[in-house]
Amino acid sequence: MVEIAMVLVFYGIALGGGHLYLALRNEGSDVPPSARWRYLAVLIILLVTGAVLAVTGEQTIATIELRTIGRAVIGVTIVGYVLTEAVDGYRTVRSS
């Protein structure tokens, strides 16, 4: 459990630290703050889901393994993130 927590903290800081700092300060001209917040939300969902799967992946809910549910959550999160970023990018280009 300690190893899992340490890995999650490391990845959270390494992958999200800069985005969190710039989003809080509302800085960074290359990436808008709204995109940074979306990225951080996806990162949190993926890290929490990964932690749940690492700790309790073999358990079942009704007849479905928790690992299957977790993979579905990860897949939907990634697809939703890509679609949201694509739509936001399209709207930004069209409004210019």
Side-chain angles (χ1 to χ4, degrees):
M1 294 289 281
V2 174
E3 293 87 9
I4 293 171
M6 293 300 291
V7 167
L8 293 176
V9 168
F10 172 76
Y11 279 120
I13 291 170
L15 298 175
H19 285 286
L20 178 61
Y21 175 77
L22 291 172
L24 288 173
R25 293 187 51 97
N26 210 14
E27 292 180 354
S29 61
D30 293 340
V31 179
S34 61
R36 292 186 191 281
W37 287 115
R38 285 191 299 267
Y39 174 79
L40 289 168
V42 168
L43 181 64
I44 290 168
I45 292 169
L46 295 179
L47 290 176
V48 169
T49 304
V52 169
L53 291 179
V55 174
T56 61
E58 301 298 322
Q59 296 181 0
T60 60
I61 297 176
T63 59
I64 302 172
E65 283 188 8
L66 193 57
R67 191 170 307 276
T68 304
I69 296 170
R71 287 178 181 157
V73 168
I74 289 171
V76 167
T77 301
I78 291 172
V79 168
Y81 175 71
V82 169
L83 289 175
T84 302
E85 288 297 322
V87 168
D88 188 51
Y90 176 77
R91 288 181 180 158
T92 301
V93 170
R94 293 293 282 179
S95 66
S96 297

